Amino acid sequence: MKTRAAVAFEAKRPLEIVELDLEGPKPGEVLIEIMATGICHTDAYTLDGLDSEGIFPSVLGHEGAGIVREVGAGVTSVSVGDHVIPLYTPECRQCKSCLSGKTNLCTAIRATQGKGLMPDGTTRFSYKGQPIYHYMGCSTFSNFTVLPEIAVAKIREDAPFQTSCYVGCGVTTGVGAVVNTAKVAPGDNIIVFGLGGIGLNVLQGAKMAGANMIVGVDINPDREEWGRRFGMTHFVNPKDVSGDLVQHLVALTDGGADYTFDCTGNTDVMRQALEACHRGWGTSIIIGVAEAGKEIATRPFQLVTGRNWRGTAFGGAKGRTDVPKIVDWYMNGKIEIDPMITHVLSLEEINKGFDLMHAGESIRSVVVY
Ligand SMILES: NC(=O)C1=CN([C@@H]2O[C@H](COP(=O)(O)OP(=O)(O)OC[C@H]3O[C@@H](n4cnc5c(N)ncnc54)[C@H](O)[C@@H]3O)[C@@H](O)[C@H]2O)C=CC1
Ligand SMILES: N[C@@H](CCC(=O)N[C@@H](CSC=O)C(=O)NCC(=O)O)C(=O)O
Ligand SMILES: [Zn+2]
Ligand SMILES: [Zn+2]
């Protein structure tokens, strides 16, 4: 079949809208009609050539929602017509990682996924006879895409695609980092660095968990109003702090935070986040994705004196189990999504979504097919 898609032919070049050839689902795979997709900072990072796993030409996009249109042989867990969210972190429930109960990082298809391939080692997309690679196993910047059955979460049918697509990455990552990874308890003090599409969801997760001080840090002053809307109690713009930012935050939180979260991807900020943790027990959680070649550093003394450094992918969520529940939280009003969808675009306007993100003007742009 044919599908309209925004293709990343090369790094640092705008996406091009073209018609691709798409092969139907093989055994264990499903064909999804993507109805809406968010644009996450990770898409921009890969398009900018900063991802060590970046492959071109490819169809980016990993924050979608859609409808199952065809199932391959042997598919049992979803049917034609089901509403689903593609999962860049699948859940096979059979691999060592899934069975460990210690992680959401299913390893069933990770090796081929990181090479832009389906589990059988081939691509379903092609253009003028040449393969076009998949991205994060999802490729939601295509109107139709093929995924392994283990990489789709079935969701309720009354959830709007335009907003529930955000659960495919940003919402789950931010809220999940608080509830699954940190396990923030009522009364904890937290600091969130970077109040974009992920950081605002950390804020709303922290509010839901009953955190006491919820401090937001961002260099964009417009983010103060956004942060307050989602539960932030204190805002710090590093540009307005005359002395050392870490000392300022440690003083503000009476010795440092119980939990800090990096949502910037900047390794200098990651260090600040670790050092703003409380001596003896504070834990810093890295969510931001740093560009290829970057490393984190701190004085080992920071860890010797009881601070902990951790990371989280997809908010520690097990996709097929947790994503439908997060959609329920949204539909039941436990968390908010609608105000964060600041821009709704057509596929032809997708590059504008990247421009808005880089200009700090959007929280989430969503492309509706
Ligand atoms: N670990 C995971 O599973 C996931 C990681 N990510 C990563 O999370 C990060 C954030 O993504 P989005 O929220 O979509 O990006 P975004 O562009 O919407 O937000 C980033 C925010 O950080 C702020 N910022 C930039 N430099 C800063 C600094 N030096 N100090 C304080 N604030 C600063 C910006 O002003 C902006 O508000 C990215 O690195 C992205 O790749 C995204 C999704 C999942
Ligand atoms: N490919 C990069 C790392 C990118 C990365 O860390 N991705 C996150 C999700 S970011 C979503 O917006 C993730 O889930 N990582 C776990 C994984 O298995 O990929 C690199 O090579 O550094
Ligand atoms: Zn993402
Ligand atoms: Zn698994």
Side-chain angles (χ1 to χ4, degrees), residues 166-203:
Y166 198 7
V167 178
C169 184
V171 173
T172 304
T173 298
V175 174
V178 173
V179 302
N180 299 321
T181 310
K183 298 187 171 65
V184 169
D188 283 342
N189 291 335
I190 74 142
I191 306 175
V192 184
F193 294 76
L195 306 179
I198 307 300
L200 293 179
N201 280 293
V202 175
L203 295 180

Side-chain angles (χ1 to χ4, degrees), residues 39-45 62-63 88-89 104 136 166 169-170 172-174 192-200 217-221 223 236-238 245 262-266 268-270 272 286-291 311-316 357-358 360 362-364:
I39 303 173
C40 172
H41 205 120
T42 307
D43 297 307
Y45 144 95
H62 61 279
E63 196 175 75
Y88 60 84
T89 307
N104 65 326
M136 291 175 72
Y166 198 7
C169 184
T172 304
T173 298
V192 184
F193 294 76
L195 306 179
I198 307 300
L200 293 179
V217 180
D218 203 299
I219 50 176
N220 179 348
R223 296 291 149 106
V236 176
N237 185 336
L245 175 66
D262 168 70
C263 308
T264 70
N266 177 320
D268 296 328
V269 175
M270 292 175 190
Q272 293 168 341
I286 294 177
I287 301 176
V289 170
E291 59 191 71
T312 182
F314 198 38
M357 177 196 297
H358 288 305
S362 58
I363 299 301
R364 260 317 185 250

Side-chain angles (χ1 to χ4, degrees), residues 21-106:
D21 290 301
L22 177 64
E23 265 190 81
K26 293 196 176 171
E29 299 175 358
V30 294
L31 173 75
I32 312 291
E33 180 178 359
I34 299 293
M35 306 303 287
T37 176
I39 303 173
C40 172
H41 205 120
T42 307
D43 297 307
Y45 144 95
T46 303
L47 183 59
D48 288 345
L50 304 175
D51 183 353
S52 44
E53 285 186 311
I55 300 169
F56 302 90
S58 57
V59 178
L60 302 178
H62 61 279
E63 196 175 75
I67 304 174
V68 176
R69 292 300 184 202
E70 192 183 333
V71 298
V75 170
T76 54
S77 61
V78 286
S79 312
V80 170
D82 283 351
H83 291 204
V84 293
I85 287 184
L87 301 170
Y88 60 84
T89 307
E91 185 187 354
C92 77
R93 298 176 178 156
Q94 287 175 354
C95 73
K96 182 182 176 187
S97 298
C98 284
L99 291 174
S100 74
K102 297 176 181 173
T103 180
N104 65 326
L105 294 175
C106 174

